[in-house]
Amino acid sequence: MTRTDSENQTVPSSHNMYDNEIDPETKHNMQTLKRAESEGANIAAKGCCLQATKYVSLTEKIEKRMASNDRWYSLEFFPPRTPSGAANLIGCFDRMAIGQPLFCDITWHPAGDPASNKETSSMMIANTMLNYCGIDTMLHITCYGAKRETMLTFLNKAKDFGIRNLLALRGDPPVGEEWDPSKSDFRYGLDLVKFIREHFGNYFVICVAGYPQGHPDSTSYEDDLGYLKEKVDCGADFIITQLFFQAETFIKFESDCRAAGITCPIIPGIFPIQGYASLRNIVRLAKLDVPKEILACIEPIKENDEAIRNFGVQACLDLCRELLESGKVYGLHFYTLNREFATIEILKKLGLWLEEQPLRALPWKKTSSSFARSKENVRPIFWSIRPKSYVHRTSNWNEFPNGRWGLSSAPSFGMLTDYHLFYMKIDATRDELLDEWGRELTCEEDVWRMFACYIGGEKNHIGKVVRHFPWTDEELSSETSLIQNNLLEFNRRGILTINSQPAVNGKPSSDTIVGWGTLNGYVYQKAYLEFFTSADNISALRSVLKNFPNVNYHFVNKSGEVNETNNVDEQPIAVTWGVFTGREIIQPTVVDPTSFMIWKDEAFSLWTERWGKLYEPDSRSHAVIEQIANSYFLVNLVDNDYPEGSCLWTILDAMFEYQRLLKNDTNAS
């Protein structure tokens, strides 16, 4: 929905499922088809990042879906008003991306400084959605009040961020202000479409708005159709409509557009009714009339939020099904109002929510959908747990590693000083984190127990499940389950693991736990372990490692004064690789000693930036975190004998045994 900045909704606390689900067999068949045709599956099937990637525009994606009679959906969000709201919205993006929307868009709010670098601006939210959440993104942009030079700056900034899709709109004056032509070099959305094409050619895909009941400011419905055709003729690629409440409204509009010579895709805008106040606000701003039959149903229950929401879900389902069965509609664009539950419920019941994920293109999460990074297929393993941070720190690179990492004497990672950035915040409140990580820490062992609770998905001493972790953006990977018992044992003994992977020797690339790449391939990986541990353990580890010549190690303290590795000439070590039909061997994950020294600064700082700051500076809890951060070492171990499984657990056992024997000898003397 493109016309308002006043929605400020809360997510309903409960939602009831209707009984009229599509039958399981039909749902399975529909999801199987969509999985094969989904964007994620298309990327994997083409070997995304396994070879040079051709840019596929959003228009091409839509037309391909239509040609194959494949159904799809897209989602609209608006920028929040506060920094905490921005952090919450990014969490919403990540959760909604699981269902594989074809694209998502962000509205443009002139009153909110939309092109600034503020975390609540339209431009920054769109940048985050594209580059940090891995979603094909469309940015709304309005031209009311804009001069040509200013608009050019806006568009160049969008281009610099990698944004390729725009919804070009006229926009409206702020509430209470009359239209003032002297404030703008653009009179209509048509002028903006022409301007974009004049200065950027076909770089941007341009969407425009359509009004099934005619624009409220137009002289007539027919005149508005003629104006819409002008926008398409001047370069618009497809149309998204204003919301409507009855299927016949859209079906007539679509037929009238075709009769007028408009041939581009026309996507219906869908608004799930989720509250009485929000409905009244939206229709007021959009200058629409709600059908009497809908009002008759809503008025008696307008004080019951749950009843209205349930009615809205069912009404939306009926509308969507009628549209999809009309033969004129392949995709649905949902105005979410930044709410998740109702939209997800509707999509699941329509069979459009793609619960089963396609084969991973790479073993690490590719959070960016920017074409500039489309060829990237190699990263240091350290940031696999913080992919948003990696994208942020490499955002100024002109090229990204493809095929091999190579020698990196000094990779130009940007400094990570912006821990406050909303797209790197943990999606939890301070109180929630204190409940999980401990309101009072009395000793290092309290920290060890938190690590173990997180690894095991266990409840802590106050009965809270530890779901968040200072060093990760993502949930634990499924392959952690293969070594979970070992991880639990050693975390309880002060080996505080933050990253790991089991050894894999030629598993099919389709394996549900460790598979990635294209079908009919084989994947391999060396056992890897990365952890914080005390200085006492390091001296024992140093001695024990002499007996394991096939293990590469690197340990470093916070200052970097102690920095020891047996890696010859600081060569990067491939720790994950895949063999696929008709391709060279792909090695997407490496342990690079130079990058590790850059990562260690970030890893150590997270002790205080994410955990220590939860406590008062003079508290015992704060002192415990400071003590660990300042005295522990960061270690990584690579077992190169991957066909034999892993000897890393044996090394850690030997380290503790070495300490025990040393202590006995000391006591005996």
Side-chain angles (χ1 to χ4, degrees):
M1 213 143 40
T2 60
R3 320 337 181 235
T4 176
D5 62 349
S6 58
E7 306 95 331
N8 186 18
Q9 308 300 327
T10 57
V11 176
S13 60
S14 62
H15 54 287
N16 297 328
M17 300 294 285
Y18 287 96
D19 294 329
N20 55 344
E21 301 272 3
I22 56 178
D23 67 89
E25 182 178 0
T26 301
K27 182 176 181 179
H28 174 76
N29 291 339
M30 291 175 69
Q31 288 183 332
T32 300
L33 171 63
K34 290 175 177 60
R35 196 160 56 251
E37 291 295 327
S38 70
E39 191 58 26
N42 280 336
I43 288 174
K46 294 173 184 174
C48 175
C49 304
L50 305 187
Q51 61 179 9
T53 303
K54 175 184 178 294
Y55 172 65
V56 180
S57 72
L58 180 56
T59 306
E60 291 175 282
K61 295 173 186 176
I62 291 172
E63 290 174 346
K64 181 176 181 179
R65 296 298 183 94
M66 295 173 65
S68 61
N69 198 30
D70 187 23
R71 306 297 172 81
W72 53 272
Y73 68 93
S74 53
L75 305 169
E76 180 170 298
F77 301 90
F78 61 88
R81 300 185 179 192
T82 64
S84 62
N88 292 336
L89 185 59
I90 302 314
C92 176
F93 292 165
D94 287 336
R95 292 186 293 273
M96 296 294 274
I98 292 172
Q100 300 174 55
L102 187 62
F103 67 92
C104 295
D105 66 9
I106 294 293
T107 61
W108 183 267
H109 293 167
D113 199 5
S116 74
N117 290 330
K118 293 193 303 185
E119 52 202 345
T120 55
S121 75
S122 300
M123 188 74 75
M124 288 305 296
I125 293 290
N127 170 40
T128 303
M129 176 184 280
L130 175 70
N131 290 303
Y132 296 91
C133 299
I135 299 171
D136 202 355
T137 300
M138 181 165 70
L139 173 66
H140 293 211
I141 190 162
T142 64
C143 57
Y144 174 76
K147 298 295 185 179
R148 292 173 64 89
E149 183 177 347
T150 303
M151 181 58 66
L152 197 58
T153 300
F154 292 168
L155 294 170
N156 275 314
K157 187 170 186 177
K159 183 179 179 181
D160 289 343
F161 281 148
I163 295 168
R164 301 293 297 256
N165 312 306
L166 301 172
L167 176 51
L169 300 159
R170 182 196 71 176
D172 295 310
V175 176
E177 183 178 313
E178 295 295 323
W179 183 277
D180 183 355
S182 66
K183 289 186 175 181
S184 178
D185 287 341
F186 305 90
R187 183 67 179 87
Y188 300 107
L190 172 63
D191 301 327
L192 180 55
V193 173
K194 291 178 178 178
F195 182 81
I196 295 170
R197 288 291 179 236
E198 174 189 349
H199 290 276
F200 295 90
N202 291 324
Y203 177 84
F204 290 109
V205 167
I206 301 176
C207 176
V208 293
Y211 299 85
Q213 295 173 288
H215 191 284
D217 294 341
S218 63
T219 54
S220 70
Y221 175 78
E222 291 72 23
D223 287 347
D224 194 48
L225 281 178
Y227 176 65
L228 180 60
K229 185 176 187 304
E230 274 192 83
K231 289 193 286 187
V232 174
D233 291 345
C234 286
D237 296 292
F238 67 98
I239 297 165
I240 293 177
T241 76
Q242 177 61 283
L243 67 92
F244 53 91
F245 296 98
Q246 295 169 313
E248 55 265 29
T249 302
F250 175 83
I251 292 170
K252 178 182 182 301
F253 174 72
E254 195 270 351
S255 296
D256 292 342
C257 285
R258 302 309 182 206
I262 297 172
T263 60
C264 70
I266 304 173
I267 305 168
I270 306 297
F271 173 64
I273 298 172
Q274 302 182 62
Y276 185 75
S278 63
L279 173 64
R280 293 289 298 269
N281 186 45
I282 294 303
V283 297
R284 176 181 61 82
L285 291 169
K287 301 178 182 178
L288 293 174
D289 294 322
V290 181
K292 293 179 180 179
E293 52 267 37
I294 291 180
L295 288 176
C297 293
I298 288 180
E299 285 294 336
I301 59 173
K302 64 182 180 181
E303 303 299 329
N304 187 331
D305 289 343
E306 184 175 352
I308 283 190
R309 189 193 158 285
N310 290 339
F311 168 82
V313 167
Q314 188 58 51
C316 189
L317 274 170
D318 294 341
L319 173 64
C320 292
R321 285 170 176 152
E322 190 172 348
L323 290 169
L324 292 171
E325 291 167 3
S326 71
K328 296 178 178 290
V329 173
Y330 300 90
L332 303 168
H333 185 72
F334 286 85
Y335 301 125
T336 68
L337 296 188
N338 291 6
R339 293 178 171 185
E340 302 171 49
F341 299 119
T343 303
I344 291 175
E345 183 178 341
I346 291 164
L347 290 168
K348 285 183 175 180
K349 290 185 174 183
L350 292 172
L352 297 177
W353 183 264
L354 302 181
E355 295 174 341
E356 297 183 40
Q357 298 299 298
L359 186 64
R360 296 181 298 168
L362 292 163
W364 36 264
K365 184 175 181 180
K366 195 172 177 66
T367 58
S368 176
S369 280
S370 171
F371 181 66
R373 301 187 83 110
S374 61
K375 298 178 183 179
E376 179 186 23
N377 66 8
V378 188
R379 286 184 184 178
I381 195 172
F382 322 121
W383 281 276
S384 62
I385 56 176
R386 281 175 57 80
K388 290 184 176 69
S389 169
Y390 185 82
V391 171
H392 175 74
R393 299 192 69 169
T394 59
S395 59
N396 292 324
W397 288 11
N398 294 321
E399 295 182 352
F400 299 93
N402 174 260
R404 62 190 299 270
W405 181 255
L407 278 174
S408 53
S409 57
S412 55
F413 289 93
M415 295 298 294
L416 184 64
T417 56
D418 300 324
Y419 295 95
H420 64 281
L421 287 173
F422 63 98
Y423 46 79
M424 291 194 220
K425 288 181 179 177
I426 292 179
D427 187 13
T429 65
R430 177 175 179 270
D431 277 344
E432 288 170 338
L433 294 179
L434 285 170
D435 281 344
E436 293 184 21
W437 300 349
R439 289 190 171 272
E440 184 177 1
L441 304 175
T442 61
C443 59
E444 294 177 13
E445 286 77 5
D446 288 342
V447 173
W448 301 1
R449 283 188 282 272
M450 190 288 286
F451 272 74
C453 285
Y454 175 72
I455 294 293
E458 301 169 351
K459 293 181 179 179
N460 60 18
H461 69 286
I462 65 169
K464 295 289 185 181
V465 176
V466 180
R467 293 189 172 90
H468 302 92
F469 194 61
W471 290 270
T472 61
D473 295 335
E474 311 297 324
E475 295 180 353
L476 284 172
S477 66
S478 57
E479 66 181 29
T480 300
S481 63
L482 302 177
I483 52 176
Q484 187 177 53
N485 291 336
N486 301 103
L487 292 170
L488 277 171
E489 175 190 349
F490 287 105
N491 273 276
R492 289 170 179 150
R493 299 170 71 181
I495 304 298
L496 306 182
T497 60
I498 61 173
N499 200 350
S500 60
Q501 69 179 29
V504 173
N505 184 20
K507 283 278 189 180
S509 59
S510 57
D511 186 272
T512 55
I513 296 178
V514 298
W516 56 273
T518 56
L519 294 174
N520 303 317
Y522 295 91
V523 297
Y524 302 79
Q525 57 191 44
K526 299 174 184 177
Y528 175 78
L529 197 62
E530 183 181 335
F531 55 90
F532 291 101
T533 198
S534 68
D536 289 340
N537 286 340
I538 290 298
S539 59
L541 182 61
R542 183 184 291 115
S543 297
V544 166
L545 282 168
K546 296 175 182 177
N547 300 319
F548 295 87
N550 288 329
V551 171
N552 283 107
Y553 63 84
H554 195 161
F555 41 85
V556 60
N557 64 355
K558 182 178 179 180
S559 67
E561 292 176 0
V562 181
N563 174 22
E564 298 182 35
T565 179
N566 63 344
N567 186 298
V568 179
D569 298 327
E570 297 193 336
Q571 290 274 353
I573 305 166
V575 290
T576 310
W577 63 99
V579 180
F580 306 98
T581 303
R583 303 188 190 281
E584 294 182 350
I585 293 175
I586 308 301
Q587 52 176 53
T589 312
V590 299
V591 168
D592 173 46
T594 304
S595 300
F596 185 63
M597 293 301 292
I598 296 167
W599 160 249
K600 71 93 179 171
D601 291 333
E602 182 173 338
F604 274 107
S605 67
L606 290 169
W607 280 106
T608 51
E609 291 291 337
R610 277 196 165 176
W611 199 341
K613 284 186 175 180
L614 296 177
Y615 308 108
E616 294 298 324
D618 58 351
S619 67
R620 174 60 181 159
S621 299
H622 188 273
V624 169
I625 296 300
E626 285 284 340
Q627 169 64 20
I628 292 175
N630 293 330
S631 65
Y632 274 40
F633 280 66
L634 182 63
V635 178
N636 76 59
L637 302 176
V638 178
D639 181 0
N640 293 289
D641 285 337
Y642 65 92
E644 303 302 321
S646 173
C647 70
L648 301 185
W649 317 115
T650 303
I651 290 174
L652 295 178
D653 275 328
M655 178 192 75
F656 284 114
E657 179 64 12
Y658 181 93
Q659 288 177 302
R660 187 186 69 81
L661 294 174
L662 185 63
K663 183 177 181 181
N664 289 343
D665 290 344
T666 302
N667 292 336
S669 62

